[in-house]
Each structure stands twice: as structure tokens, then as C-alpha cells.
Amino acid sequence: MEKLLRNFFLFLSKNRALTKLAKRYGLRFGAARFVAGESIKQAVNVIKELNNKGLVVTIDYLGEFVDNEKEANEMADHCVLAVEAIGRERINSQLSLKMTSMGLDLSEEIVMKNMKKILEAAKKNDVFVTIDMEDYSRCGKTIEIFKKLKSEYDNLGTVIQAYLYRTEKDMEELNQYSPNLRLVKGAYKESPEVAFPIKKDVDDNFKKIIKMHLLNGNYTAVATHDDEMIEYTKQLVEEHNIPFDQFEFQMLYGIREERQLELYKEGYKMRVYVPYGTDWYGYFMRRLAERPANIAFVVKGVVSK
Ligand code: FAD
């Protein structure tokens, strides 16, 4: 049943007509639990509240189905505005973005132009930028773009997904860049030809890459809501005397908020991924797919309208 619901929500997340419709009607159906608002102003207020509690942030301007240069340029302009707001408001936040939003499916030239514009603004405002990882078909291209930009910009990191077979090799190759990487299990529906189909194998590989990246001396963001992975990281760090400024935990806005605060109070750096924007529908559907128990929020959202 859970698998069925997961596939159903992933299917809904890819629906262009519903994505467009949702944009017109504003945050609905409990989506505000996972999305910090539609404007940068609302997002800044949420970040200030999180910062006041001791949590740091990475902000993400939501955008789905970017398939022309004008839209890709607009997405990049929103990212620049976000970076400038971080600098102006003196909030503790990084920026996360997706290569498809910058025009990955259009041309590398468009992506590079948009990324350089954002990275220049980010450098001026002392903001770190993370390239999120999307589905397998974009993984290779994303890593190649990351490598090219990383040689020019120090304030850049990316994401590695534990469910992919290629991941260990990617990490070995990336090691020469001493990259700041966010490690995740992986959120997309992938074929068993490219990704571990069994959860236990994904979890084992997740632990393996956490260890590999930390022991290589690289900055590691362990992005998970899974206590088993969090406890594994804590033990590893203790065993190997890894300094607390070489790693952090990350979770999504609206998920396990008490656990986020607990980790902060235990002395760990805890970063919250805060999405905002009018294009909330696809992100919201992916969160429901991850944990169908979250449907309770949708029901409440509908009832309270
Ligand atoms: P799961 O295997 O989903 O959950 C394991 C356990 O965690 C559950 O059994 C439960 O005990 C606990 N748990 C999970 N959710 C909850 C909840 N809501 N309430 C209470 N307990 C819960 N994926 C990508 O593919 N690319 C990216 O760029 C990317 N960036 C991310 C950034 C951040 C900050 C985070 C946190 C995730 C990101 N992801 C990304 C998503 C990631 O790949 C996983 O799909 C997602 O985090 C779910 O996996 P999990 O590790 O949290 O554990």
C-alpha cells in the first residue's frame, strides 16, 4: 500500500497541468507545513525564526518544468535576489538550487551563464551554494558542471545520492576537489539497473559514503531524518576524533522539528532546508511520496479551508 501511495504521489508530482493550477491558487492542502511561503520576504521571516532557535538554513527557490531560456534566467534572478536578501538581512543561510531550473535541459551554456551570475552574487554576500542532485539522467551532467565551476568558485558544493551504484566512484573522483558534499539517500524513482532497489542496501551504502567522506577529511553534510544514520555519524565522529566543524546534519523544513532542536542542543550544527516560492506543488507531492503518513496534514488542510 505504502509503495502504491509513493508511486501515486511521485506520478502527481510530475503533472504539469496541476503544477500550473497550484501556482494560481497559492499554498494549499497543508503545503505551508513544508514550504516557508511564496515570497522571499516570508521566507526571510521563517529563517529569522529558525536562526533565533540556533538552527542554520539553506534556502531553495522552488521551480518545476523550466523548459525555456526566459524561465531559466528568471529562476537565476530569483536566486540572486535570495542571496542578496541573505546578505542584506544578515541571516545565517546558504542557497540550494537545481540544475534543471538553471536550464540544464536546454544547454550547458545557459546553465554556466546563470550559475556564474549567482555564484558572483553569492561570493559578494558570503553565501555558500549547493547544487541539489536530481534524477539519474541528470547526475553525470550535474557532476561535470560542478567540477567546472568548482575550479573557479570555492563557495560551491553538491549532493551525492547513496542509492546510486555509481556513487562510490563519483566520490573517489570528486575527492581531488576536497568538496563540501551533502550526502542523501536519494529521492527519485530509479530503475534497479542504476540504483539499489532494497532499502537495506541503500542504508549500508549511505553509511559507507558518510565514513568515506569524513575520513577523507572533507566537509560532510549528513542530510537525513533517519535516527540510525544520525547515530552512526555521531559514533563515527567520536571514534575518529573528527572535529565538529567538519560536518553538520541537515533536515527538511517542517520535518522532525523537535529532533532538529535536540541535535542543536547536543552541540551539533543543524541546517534546515527551507523551500519557498509559488511553484510549491511538485515539492509538496514528493514530500508526501516520501512519507504517506504526511497525508494527515493534507486532510487537515482540506478540512480547515
Ligand atoms: P527515510 O529512509 O525516508 O526514513 C528513515 C526513518 O527516518 C523513518 O523510518 C523514520 O524513523 C524517520 N523519519 C523519516 N521521516 C520522518 C518524519 N517525517 N517524521 C518522523 N520520522 C521520520 N534527495 C535527492 O535526491 N537530491 C537532493 O538534492 C536532496 N536534498 C536533500 C536535502 C535535505 C536537507 C534532506 C533532508 C533531504 C534531501 N533529499 C535529497 C532527500 C533524500 O534523498 C531522501 O529522499 C529523504 O531525506 C528521505 O530519506 P531519509 O534519509 O530522511 O530517511
Side-chain angles (χ1 to χ4, degrees):
M1 182 64 179
E2 187 147 337
K3 194 160 179 219
L4 211 72
L5 280 170
R6 180 179 154 79
N7 287 340
F8 174 64
F9 283 114
L10 284 177
F11 168 76
L12 285 181
S13 75
K14 291 183 189 145
N15 189 300
R16 278 175 189 247
L18 288 174
T19 300
K20 278 201 176 143
L21 196 71
K23 255 184 172 179
R24 293 224 303 266
Y25 288 97
L27 284 181
R28 299 257 161 156
F29 310 129
R33 186 185 167 91
F34 303 109
V35 178
E38 292 185 89
S39 68
I40 182 70
K41 198 166 167 238
Q42 287 168 319
V44 164
N45 287 338
V46 166
I47 296 172
K48 283 182 179 168
E49 278 173 34
L50 292 167
N51 284 172
N52 284 339
K53 290 179 188 163
L55 306 173
V56 294
V57 166
T58 182
I59 191 176
D60 168 39
Y61 180 71
L62 295 167
E64 309 271 333
F65 302 117
V66 172
D67 55 12
N68 62 70
E69 187 171 355
K70 184 172 168 283
E71 273 177 16
N73 295 344
E74 281 168 7
M75 284 297 297
D77 291 341
H78 275 285
C79 290
V80 170
L81 288 178
V83 156
E84 287 171 351
I86 293 170
R88 191 177 56 247
E89 302 280 342
R90 294 176 185 278
I91 47 182
N92 192 334
S93 178
Q94 301 182 343
L95 176 78
S96 288
L97 48 75
K98 291 189 171 49
M99 287 292 87
T100 51
S101 304
M102 298 301 121
L104 185 70
D105 296 344
L106 306 169
S107 80
E108 190 175 317
E109 196 190 333
I110 298 173
V111 177
M112 290 306 253
K113 182 192 68 186
N114 281 328
M115 282 304 290
K116 285 184 179 188
K117 183 162 70 175
I118 295 165
L119 285 163
E120 284 300 327
K123 204 160 78 176
K124 263 193 215 146
N125 288 281
D126 200 17
V127 174
F128 189 84
V129 178
T130 299
I131 302 174
D132 287 349
M133 193 54 75
E134 299 177 70
D135 61 299
Y136 179 76
S137 68
R138 274 102 178 196
C139 177
K141 272 199 255 173
T142 301
I143 291 179
E144 284 319 305
I145 290 172
F146 167 75
K147 285 180 185 166
K148 283 183 194 160
L149 288 167
K150 176 71 181 158
S151 48
E152 237 182 290
Y153 296 94
D154 215 29
N155 57 333
L156 185 66
T158 190
V159 178
I160 289 290
Q161 297 155 320
Y163 65 10
L164 295 183
Y165 303 137
R166 61 173 286 167
T167 276
E168 209 178 321
K169 193 159 170 282
D170 284 336
M171 291 190 54
E172 277 163 13
E173 282 174 19
L174 283 171
N175 195 35
Q176 60 181 299
Y177 298 84
S178 306
N180 172 328
L181 293 180
R182 177 196 301 153
L183 306 180
V184 300
K185 289 190 187 179
Y188 297 82
K189 189 167 158 41
E190 302 293 2
S191 109
E193 276 162 35
V194 300
F196 295 105
I198 295 168
K199 184 173 158 32
K200 162 100 176 56
D201 294 336
V202 178
D203 288 356
D204 287 349
N205 204 39
F206 197 21
K207 289 179 184 167
K208 192 170 178 180
I209 61 171
I210 292 170
K211 186 170 184 180
M212 195 172 155
H213 204 54
L214 279 170
L215 297 192
N216 277 338
N218 297 314
Y219 193 87
T220 308
V222 179
T224 183
H225 310 103
D226 189 344
D227 279 330
E228 191 185 327
M229 302 302 137
I230 294 168
E231 288 312 315
Y232 173 79
T233 308
K234 284 184 184 175
Q235 274 176 26
L236 192 76
V237 160
E238 201 182 317
E239 264 171 42
H240 295 272
N241 282 321
I242 290 166
F244 269 43
D245 61 2
Q246 198 200 311
F247 73 101
E248 65 185 47
F249 292 111
Q250 296 188 354
M251 289 192 196
L252 302 177
Y253 177 64
I255 298 184
R256 305 209 68 192
E257 286 158 322
E258 281 178 21
R259 191 78 186 99
Q260 295 174 13
L261 288 172
E262 263 171 35
L263 286 165
Y264 162 68
K265 285 178 187 151
E266 287 170 31
Y268 298 101
K269 184 178 248 189
M270 180 72 233
R271 190 174 304 281
V272 185
Y273 186 105
V274 174
Y276 76 101
T278 53
D279 219 349
W280 52 272
Y281 170 83
Y283 177 86
F284 181 44
M285 289 300 130
R286 286 194 290 279
R287 297 294 77 75
L288 294 182
E290 249 159 35
R291 196 171 163 85
N294 286 334
I295 296 165
F297 300 122
V298 179
V299 175
K300 270 193 212 157
V302 172
V303 171
S304 64
K305 291 283 159 203

